[in-house]
Amino acid sequence: MTEPVRLTRYARGGGCACKIPPGELEAMVAGLAPASGTAELLVGIDHGDDAAVVRLDECTGLVSTADFFTPVVDDPYDWGRIAAANALSDVYAMGGTPLVALNLLCWPRDVLPLDLAREVLRGGQDVARQAGCHLAGGHSVDDDGPKYGLAVTGVVRPDELITLDAGRAGLPLSLTKPLGVGVLNTRHKATGETFPEAVATMSTLNRDAARAAVAAGIRCGTDVTGFGLLGHASKLARASRLTVAIDTARVPYLAGAREAVRDGYVSGGSRRNLDWVTPWTDVGPTGETDRLLLADAQTSGGLLVAGEVPGATVIGELLPRGEHLLL
């Protein structure tokens, strides 16, 4: 019998851990201003929000984003579902609703069977259908390694926008999904072990959490992906000019995450995340295992919002001034 193809062996990094490190990215885009357009730009690149937003009229903002990455799991259908859920999350993180998406596919056609690419696309299609979002074509290129994701367009009411710079001191900080998919995916890539709970978490849409956040009047937040909880919390702290205090004992984790760190399955991206936030983080008594998990590069993680959402875990609060992290 033919041995199943292990897609993760064709990836330099796994999922959102393959992102350019946050410090390098900030330096790369420093000084770049958005090209001017005819529509009013409500959200651009100033704070590193999850998507761009332009105003169409008083009641409608257009949300635009793109996200794609290397295989995070070996199963092509699951990878397609995870990548689609991750891309759609950028719209949900802004408080919006996705309307239409386009596939972004890079495929080594002389190395991997096209039947596998079809399964990846099928996974993305099924999640887009679940989201009520049209998936209408896209773009593909012959590449050295497989990559997949979506370009997504959605809508949002301007008065319901969720952004990084809208935090207020005294608000609680809530997380809607557990952490740990990064270290579990790293273990999966190295050993072939499978983690169904991690796959289920990554392929779950942030739609319901976003709707609940908007209904609760929450206007500050982001999603937790490749920069880890600490990286994304740091961006929120700097944009809102507040201190983010995290109660490390309250942060939820997937089963097996601590064991994965103990056994050394920590990606280079997660370590770079921790290095990046350390200069403006008061770690207190927090041990190395917890610091690595808090910086763990997530793929299709949950929402991190300033406020309380039913079913989410309150993991901290926003404090006046500081623009740093307190653990």
Side-chain angles (χ1 to χ4, degrees), residues 4-172:
V5 174
R6 294 206 56 205
L7 286 175
T8 55
R9 290 182 176 173
Y10 296 86
R12 289 180 57 192
C16 289
C18 70
K19 283 185 174 181
I20 292 176
E24 295 178 20
L25 182 62
E26 286 190 349
M28 182 173 64
V29 302
L32 294 178
S36 59
T38 56
E40 179 187 358
L41 184 67
L42 297 180
V43 181
I45 65 173
D46 293 345
H47 303 301
D49 280 283
D50 298 289
V53 182
V54 296
R55 186 192 301 274
L56 298 183
D57 56 42
E58 290 304 308
C59 298
T60 312
L62 186 73
V63 186
S64 182
T65 185
D67 207 315
F68 64 100
F69 49 65
T70 54
V72 68
V73 293
D74 289 325
D75 185 280
Y77 178 75
D78 283 343
W79 175 35
R81 293 194 300 139
I82 292 165
N86 180 77
L88 291 164
S89 179
D90 286 344
V91 176
Y92 293 132
M94 304 297 294
T97 300
L99 295 181
V100 62
L102 301 174
N103 289 302
L104 302 173
L105 178 69
C106 300
W107 200 257
R109 47 182 291 277
D110 293 331
V111 178
L112 292 174
L114 292 178
D115 285 350
L116 293 182
R118 179 182 176 84
E119 281 299 289
V120 175
L121 296 174
R122 187 171 70 88
Q125 184 180 60
D126 283 355
V127 164
R129 182 180 296 112
Q130 181 185 352
C133 176
H134 295 291
L135 187 50
H139 186 65
S140 62
V141 296
D142 189 350
D143 199 3
D144 292 338
K147 304 172 187 71
Y148 176 66
L150 302 177
V152 189
T153 300
V155 292
V156 64
R157 286 186 58 91
D159 60 350
E160 293 179 348
L161 259 176
I162 296 176
T163 59
L164 285 167
D165 63 352
R168 302 195 315 275
L171 287 175

Side-chain angles (χ1 to χ4, degrees), residues 256-282:
R258 288 189 175 277
E259 291 77 9
V261 174
R262 178 199 64 197
D263 296 339
Y265 296 106
V266 180
S267 70
S270 296
R271 295 187 185 279
R272 289 190 292 271
N273 288 341
L274 184 56
D275 289 343
W276 181 61
V277 301
T278 294
W280 52 83
T281 301
D282 182 353

